[in-house]
Amino acid sequence: MSSDDTRRRMEYQAVGGALAQLDAKNPQAAELIAGLVTVIIAEAERSSRFASALTGVVDALRPVDIALDGAPVEAPRKRAAAPKKQVTRQPGAFDPFVVYREGGGQELSARLGELTLDQLRDIIAEQELDTRKETSRKRKPEVLVSWIVERVEASENKGSVFR
């Protein structure tokens, strides 16, 4: 007799003992459960489809971390996501708002035109001009220059209607 057979026999005996204890306290409930189990066993022996459906229900109710033999099962390892690459930006070359106040849009455009693409993006990041992440798709410095000038002008002229 294998250890699996021995384990099952012990489980059956435990179920029988629990049914006997229930019979001592509530004979009607014990009789109902015994009759129900007898009908289920008879149907499972008669129909393999019913037996497999019954096994599926029992397997669905069994906790995931317990194997059929009762030994705990390790959960499968989850793959760790690749760490996100963080871009650290340098401080901006100058404050575009100060240049706009002192020299206007033409001066700001001229000063921005001297900068590289990364330097322009540094200014955008430092001043938090791009809250909607629009500039990450822009590749030409000229486009970023005009975009920065528009944002600075819009911010500086905001509320001018009330002055």
Side-chain angles (χ1 to χ4, degrees):
M1 186 183 298
S2 71
S3 63
D4 194 39
D5 291 338
T6 306
R7 183 191 52 82
R8 276 187 284 175
R9 287 183 186 264
M10 290 179 65
E11 286 178 5
Y12 301 155
Q13 288 175 354
V15 169
L19 194 56
Q21 286 179 346
L22 180 62
D23 188 45
K25 293 180 182 175
N26 190 345
Q28 287 178 329
E31 202 172 308
L32 176 67
I33 291 173
L36 185 61
V37 169
T38 304
V39 169
I40 290 173
I41 290 171
E43 185 62 25
E45 287 175 345
R46 193 176 66 76
S47 168
S48 62
R49 185 172 161 202
F50 179 76
S52 64
L54 191 61
T55 303
V57 169
V58 171
D59 286 343
L61 295 175
R62 179 179 294 127
V64 176
D65 59 347
I66 297 178
L68 292 176
D69 60 358
V73 175
E74 284 188 40
R77 284 187 179 178
K78 291 184 180 177
R79 290 186 352 189
K84 287 190 175 182
K85 188 171 114 178
Q86 290 208 343
V87 177
T88 54
R89 290 264 166 222
Q90 300 296 320
F94 56 87
D95 186 354
F97 293 98
V98 172
V99 174
Y100 181 79
R101 282 187 217 117
E102 291 174 355
Q106 295 293 333
E107 175 69 23
L108 177 60
S109 184
R111 294 264 317 259
L112 289 172
E114 299 169 359
L115 302 177
T116 65
L117 187 64
D118 277 339
Q119 289 174 324
L120 292 171
R121 289 198 171 146
D122 291 339
I123 289 175
I124 291 170
E126 182 181 35
Q127 299 297 326
E128 297 178 0
L129 295 173
D130 190 12
T131 57
R132 290 184 248 155
K133 308 289 184 205
E134 297 172 16
T135 58
S136 62
R137 295 182 298 272
K138 298 181 184 345
R139 303 279 182 236
K140 295 183 179 178
E142 307 83 41
V143 175
L144 280 179
V145 167
S146 65
W147 190 88
I148 292 171
V149 171
E150 287 176 13
R151 291 287 161 242
V152 170
E153 284 177 348
S155 182
E156 285 294 314
N157 295 330
K158 191 173 188 178
S160 64
V161 75
F162 298 110
R163 293 182 194 150

